[in-house]
Amino acid sequence: MSNNKRRDPIKLILVLTLVLAILTGAVYFAGNFITQFREELLADKQAEVQAANEQLKQEYALELAEFEKEQAAGANKAWPAQKTEGWDVVDLTHYPLENAGYVTVRRGDVINGGLLLVNEWHSRPADFAEDALVSIGENSKDVIGVRNYSQKLFPQAVEALVAALTDAKAVGLEHYVVDDAYRTYAEQEALFNKTMEKYASRYEGDALIARTKKEVNYPGTSEFNSGLSFTLYLYARGNDAVNDQLFSTSEQGKWLYENSWKYGLVFRFPKADFPLPGTEDKSYKTGVSLSLNCFRYVGKAHAAVMNHLNLCLEEYIEYLQEHPHIAVFENGVLKYEIVRQQVGDAESFSVQVTNKTRNYTMSLDNMGGVVTAFEY
């Protein structure tokens, strides 16, 4: 009989069952641990991707905002940099007009656009027409005070002055009256001859004409022959406190001198300390040394440049001859683009325009050029 004890099959089964249970439990817990680890890893990855996407969204939003700002500003990135505060004029002489096309223009349609230079050295063109002149009083519906209803200007000048005086009234400034406006060639000739008679006893020949010209321009060379200029004074019936004021030292005068450019009007004949103290003398350019409260319509785009660069009309046209393509910015936003093209004296001609805007005005400058101001 063997000495080896027989193994108990029941015990063996129990042991095996216990081991199997332990292994099963271990596998179960290991599986849960791996699953949880994978889920946590996946959650981390998802959070990482979401954060990256959010960062990309923010970067895209910034780029889009910058792009939209540039689009609103209207500036080409290739253009020279412009100031982001205040007014700025950027020279684009060596940059072509973008999205360009051509339009055919009749000389007669743009001769009175605002920049027609009329002075001692540049007589009014022979094809100047008076047909479009209107009564200042009637067309302003009495917003503009007038010496009489026969005084006339071109409609754009009347509209600009109405806008200016309406805003002046809103701040408590009134009693503006037009003293002088458009003169016909015959009226200018009569005024010149009358002034010449005044000095005839003291001068003769060329000396008499030269002395007369110091006071009155030769017919056809007066700013008042343009239909775009006027002088002002103050008047209120029965109010000596208003009537006795000098326009140049009145609050009404000061306001208009400082703000007229916003409406497309410029002070025509700056001289030393007139109209305001510190005014730079431009009489050597304008040919007029008299203290005249004379304003001239040129249009908002041109008035903005003339004001910013401190240019009289003669200087501005010279500036455009040297810089025939400029951009005008306000606080970094493109306001105007101005282009001068030489067209000569033809009755009609092709003018280059940009398709970026259909809002533009044109004017002959009486120097063989047509100037187009695009507004954005």
Side-chain angles (χ1 to χ4, degrees):
M1 194 172 185
S2 172
N3 292 326
N4 293 333
K5 295 181 179 178
R6 284 189 179 179
R7 292 182 178 178
D8 188 340
I10 300 299
K11 283 184 178 182
L12 182 59
I13 291 172
L14 288 174
V15 170
L16 291 174
T17 300
L18 180 59
V19 171
L20 183 60
I22 292 171
L23 290 174
T24 301
V27 169
Y28 173 78
F29 286 114
N32 282 348
F33 175 79
I34 293 172
T35 300
Q36 184 178 357
F37 175 77
R38 286 178 175 174
E39 289 177 350
E40 291 177 354
L41 184 62
L42 179 61
D44 290 342
K45 288 293 183 182
Q46 288 176 335
E48 186 179 333
V49 170
Q50 187 174 357
N53 286 339
E54 190 62 33
Q55 178 67 24
L56 289 173
K57 284 182 182 180
Q58 291 177 4
E59 291 175 358
Y60 173 75
L62 289 173
E63 290 177 1
L64 181 61
E66 185 66 24
F67 173 77
E68 290 175 345
K69 181 180 178 181
E70 289 174 357
Q71 288 295 100
N76 185 325
K77 280 189 173 181
W79 288 358
Q82 67 279 347
K83 296 177 183 176
T84 57
E85 294 183 4
W87 288 87
D88 193 20
V89 178
V90 176
D91 183 13
L92 300 179
T93 298
H94 301 295
Y95 295 79
L97 194 62
E98 297 173 354
N99 300 327
Y102 286 88
V103 295
T104 299
V105 178
R106 290 181 60 254
R107 175 181 169 85
D109 293 336
V110 295
I111 194 170
N112 300 319
L115 289 187
L116 193 72
L117 180 62
V118 178
N119 61 18
E120 180 181 352
W121 308 281
H122 300 88
S123 183
R124 190 177 73 180
D127 56 347
F128 178 91
E130 302 175 331
D131 302 349
L133 288 163
V134 298
S135 166
I136 300 170
E138 291 176 2
N139 280 265
S140 71
K141 298 181 179 179
D142 293 325
V143 171
I144 305 172
V146 291
R147 195 162 35 79
N148 61 67
Y149 268 64
S150 66
Q151 292 174 303
K152 295 181 178 181
L153 288 172
F154 285 114
Q156 59 270 37
V158 175
E159 291 170 8
L161 185 55
V162 166
L165 298 192
T166 298
D167 285 353
K169 185 175 182 179
V171 295
L173 301 174
E174 301 182 78
H175 311 305
Y176 296 90
V177 178
V178 172
D179 184 32
D180 210 349
Y182 177 70
R183 299 176 192 159
T184 64
Y185 189 95
E187 288 171 337
Q188 186 70 26
E189 186 174 40
L191 181 59
F192 188 86
N193 290 338
K194 183 178 179 180
T195 305
M196 192 161 55
E197 289 173 5
K198 184 172 68 172
Y199 296 108
S201 62
R202 296 161 52 192
Y203 302 89
E204 61 181 17
D206 292 342
L208 176 59
I209 293 175
R211 178 62 186 84
T212 303
K213 281 184 175 181
K214 290 182 179 180
E215 199 166 314
V216 180
N217 284 86
Y218 197 78
T221 67
S222 170
E223 185 62 44
F224 298 105
N225 295 147
S226 70
L228 298 166
S229 291
F230 53 89
T231 57
L232 295 169
Y233 68 102
L234 299 176
Y235 178 76
R237 182 178 294 178
N239 191 336
D240 291 341
V242 171
N243 301 337
D244 292 342
Q245 290 185 90
L246 285 175
F247 187 85
S248 60
T249 58
S250 67
E251 290 304 310
Q252 290 94 326
K254 292 176 184 177
W255 186 90
L256 197 58
Y257 297 142
E258 293 173 352
N259 293 281
S260 62
W261 65 274
K262 300 173 184 176
Y263 306 91
L265 303 168
V266 295
F267 186 74
R268 184 63 182 94
F269 301 121
K271 50 178 288 190
D273 294 321
F274 184 85
L276 298 173
T279 298
E280 184 180 345
D281 184 31
K282 304 284 185 178
S283 60
Y284 70 99
K285 279 291 185 180
T286 65
V288 175
S289 57
L290 299 176
S291 298
L292 297 176
N293 296 309
C294 181
F295 295 84
R296 158 72 182 256
Y297 173 83
V298 295
K300 289 183 179 180
H302 307 303
V305 178
M306 292 171 69
N307 178 73
H308 179 66
L309 298 180
N310 188 30
L311 303 174
C312 65
L313 182 58
E314 287 79 2
E315 291 173 319
Y316 180 54
I317 292 176
E318 289 176 0
Y319 178 83
L320 290 178
Q321 289 176 316
E322 296 174 2
H323 309 87
H325 184 192
I326 59 176
V328 185
F329 291 84
E330 183 184 17
N331 296 324
V333 177
L334 180 65
K335 292 284 290 184
Y336 309 109
E337 196 172 353
I338 300 172
V339 178
R340 182 186 186 274
Q341 299 167 70
Q342 196 71 19
V343 295
D345 298 322
E347 290 189 7
S348 64
F349 36 79
S350 292
V351 179
Q352 192 176 45
V353 297
T354 176
N355 293 316
K356 293 195 299 182
T357 176
R358 295 185 179 277
N359 190 7
Y360 60 83
T361 58
M362 292 183 184
S363 177
L364 293 183
D365 61 11
N366 206 20
M367 296 287 286
V370 62
V371 181
T372 308
F374 302 95
E375 185 173 351
Y376 294 94

